[in-house]
Amino acid sequence: MAVDNSRLKGFFQLSVEERRSILAEIASLSAEDIAALESGGGMNSTIADTMIENVYTTMTLPVGVATNFIIDGKNFVIPFCLEESSVIAAASNMAKRCHLNGGFSTDVDESMMIGQIQLLGIEDLKTSSEAVESRAQEIIDLCNSLPSTMVSLGGGCKQIRCRIIEDMLIVHIIVDCKDAMGANAVNTMAELCAPLVEEITGGEARLKIVSNLAVHRLARSTATFTPEELSMDGSLESGLEVISRILDAYRFASIDPFRATTHNKGTMNAISSIALACGQDWRAVEASCHAWITHHQGRYGSITEWKQDRNGNLQGSIEIPLAVGIVGGAISVHPVARANLSILGVDSAAQLAGVMASAGLAQNLAAMRALATSGIQSGHMKLHVKNMAVSAGAMENEVEQVAKVANESGQRITQSLVDGILRSLRG
Ligand code: MEV
């Protein structure tokens, strides 16, 4: 269930405990979810020790919610897990600037993942490739032969495709992973059917592994921002000027890989943070998004697209591979990831992907708007100043006051300014 209203007015002024209890109430969290959130990390050594090897501690990062998101007509508050200040504020700010046109609209493919089998030592690649394709159903049936919830829900291996690359035959098994990310299932199927593929081709099956370039699992999101919504002072004139500057910023990213990398990093600030908060394989998400740009565009460019419509509005869109799941993987074992998914309230992997794509689009626009107008640092430093106060040695009860004095000083915020403020407050 998405929430009734994602606005959460004044939320940022509340204490951490107050925010938690509001989220628990609006998302109707279970006692178990609440306990996980209260534990401040939620993972004891026993769970940690089952997840990876040689565990000696756990490490926590802050989790906050981005507000104001309306996606496909539903309100969402979106958990982000990251260390960087101002990202959540920026995404929330931009999410409310497309409300006049109804927020974000998404369109997400079925959860099709590719598993690759590399075959070596084949003499007649074309004949072997045709042989694999003619016995595709047999391979599919074998892939789907193990007991599996995914298969019982109508998912599983659906297609076999062959590619010839140099002296290699590469067989793709295409698997509908339904609500799971699916890497494990795909790897199991690839290993299971490899001996049959060897028998059909006479080759040696070497690598059998999922491809993270999930080209059949794309998530798309679009949104329209009016000039007034993007304006610095509410006026149409300022809004049109902001849009023209944003389009120049976008043009820069779309033709220059040095700028595109940072532009896309900004977009991934949202996508990866949601992935992390919701227990996803965020390295897979990062790898696939960056690879997709080059695969799709033929070179590295912007992950988003921006243009102006006939009415002067700014239209943004994003299309990215998002292999994410709401069952299996870390979600089944990480209590905070589960609680975060409950707060987000998505009911399918596709909906999670749509939310992530929309948040990425908002995040990218927030960065471009700031960079193309007032610059990024003033807003960023206002929020980052609390970290600087902690670095200066401020105690918990001093941090707010140091930040307030620094922000009201009218001076450029530097570590030495913050050090000086702390010293003078302590008299
Ligand atoms: C910082 O985390 C992200 C930005 O650099 C993105 C961008 O430059 O577009 C602000």
Side-chain angles (χ1 to χ4, degrees):
M1 272 278 296
V3 294
D4 290 339
N5 188 336
S6 57
R7 174 90 176 83
L8 299 190
K9 198 164 185 295
F11 193 70
F12 73 101
Q13 289 159 322
L14 304 176
S15 69
V16 172
E17 291 72 23
E18 285 168 329
R19 290 184 200 132
R20 198 156 55 220
S21 68
I22 288 180
L23 291 173
E25 196 188 317
I26 60 177
S28 308
L29 291 188
S30 65
E32 199 188 341
D33 283 346
I34 295 171
L37 297 183
E38 280 172 353
S39 72
M43 182 173 289
N44 60 38
S45 327
T46 317
I47 299 180
D49 205 28
T50 60
M51 287 181 88
I52 61 166
E53 308 74 41
N54 298 347
V55 168
Y56 62 94
T57 187
T58 56
M59 189 174 159
T60 54
L61 282 173
V63 182
V65 278
T67 57
N68 298 322
F69 276 86
I70 299 179
I71 302 171
D72 299 325
K74 298 191 185 80
N75 279 264
F76 288 95
V77 292
I78 309 178
F80 280 43
C81 176
L82 82 168
E83 84 302 344
E84 186 175 338
S85 51
S86 76
V87 166
I88 293 179
S92 306
N93 180 291
M94 216 39 61
K96 69 173 178 239
R97 293 177 191 266
C98 55
H99 283 191
L100 289 180
N101 280 289
F104 299 84
S105 303
T106 70
D107 168 29
V108 180
D109 291 346
E110 282 180 316
S111 306
M112 296 291 187
M113 293 297 280
I114 298 169
Q116 296 191 293
I117 303 167
Q118 176 200 31
L119 290 139
L120 296 169
I122 297 177
E123 273 178 17
D124 184 347
L125 289 161
K126 196 161 174 297
T127 307
S128 291
S129 158
E130 284 164 5
V132 168
E133 276 164 8
S134 70
R135 291 178 65 184
Q137 194 55 49
E138 212 180 314
I139 303 170
I140 291 173
D141 291 344
L142 179 59
C143 286
N144 295 337
S145 62
L146 292 181
S148 140
T149 315
M150 183 187 285
V151 174
S152 66
L153 291 172
C157 185
K158 300 289 172 192
Q159 257 186 65
I160 304 294
R161 285 192 198 159
C162 292
R163 297 165 61 219
I164 294 171
I165 306 174
E166 297 184 348
D167 61 336
M168 299 176 281
L169 177 64
I170 309 300
V171 174
H172 283 193
I173 58 170
I174 301 176
V175 181
D176 181 354
C177 298
K178 293 286 172 192
D179 279 330
M181 186 272 188
N184 262 331
V186 171
N187 292 342
T188 305
M189 289 182 187
E191 290 192 2
L192 184 67
C193 73
L196 173 58
V197 177
E198 280 182 328
E199 182 204 310
I200 297 171
T201 60
E204 181 205 344
R206 201 66 76 70
L207 271 59
K208 305 138 200 139
I209 187 74
V210 71
S211 167
N212 288 118
L213 183 52
V215 294
H216 307 303
R217 201 173 183 175
L218 299 176
R220 303 166 197 85
S221 178
T222 56
T224 300
F225 302 77
T226 64
E228 288 83 355
E229 285 173 308
L230 289 175
S231 162
M232 304 306 275
D233 58 10
S235 73
L236 174 66
E237 197 187 14
S238 154
L240 289 171
E241 170 65 18
V242 170
I243 289 176
S244 144
R245 286 166 175 253
I246 288 170
L247 290 171
D248 286 337
Y250 164 62
R251 206 157 45 85
F252 182 12
S254 43
I255 51 186
D256 176 33
F258 288 91
R259 173 59 205 144
T261 306
T262 320
H263 173 95
N264 296 336
K265 184 272 180 186
T267 309
M268 298 311 289
N269 271 346
I271 295 171
S272 303
S273 305
I274 302 168
L276 188 51
C278 295
Q280 307 300 315
D281 181 344
W282 71 95
R283 289 91 53 219
V285 167
E286 286 274 349
S288 67
C289 285
H290 291 286
W292 166 248
I293 300 168
T294 319
H295 178 80
H296 179 58
Q297 299 180 14
R299 63 186 176 81
Y300 193 73
S302 169
I303 197 168
T304 51
E305 265 184 57
W306 296 94
K307 60 179 190 225
Q308 197 165 20
D309 71 12
R310 271 184 291 151
N311 303 318
N313 301 320
L314 182 69
Q315 282 186 340
S317 60
I318 185 167
E319 180 185 57
I320 42 174
L322 279 177
V324 292
I326 60 165
V327 294
I331 313 143
S332 14
V333 282
H334 199 301
V336 176
R338 273 208 306 270
N340 290 340
L341 265 180
S342 307
I343 288 172
L344 183 57
V346 289
D347 52 27
S348 65
Q351 199 175 34
L352 173 59
V355 166
M356 290 169 72
S358 305
L361 192 63
Q363 197 77 57
N364 177 229
L365 180 58
M368 284 199 297
R369 181 173 179 272
L371 288 166
T373 56
S374 52
I376 209 103
Q377 277 312 86
S378 60
H380 177 72
M381 292 314 267
K382 273 202 178 104
L383 296 172
H384 183 59
V385 67
K386 287 193 204 165
N387 290 334
M388 297 168 94
V390 173
S391 297
M395 308 301 287
E396 216 177 312
N397 60 338
E398 295 170 317
V399 171
E400 285 293 341
Q401 207 185 350
V402 173
K404 186 166 185 292
V405 175
N407 281 334
E408 288 172 358
S409 69
Q411 295 183 50
R412 182 175 288 277
I413 295 173
T414 60
Q415 190 63 52
S416 60
L417 174 79
V418 174
D419 292 346
I421 292 171
L422 180 63
R423 272 198 306 276
S424 68
L425 283 176
R426 286 177 174 176

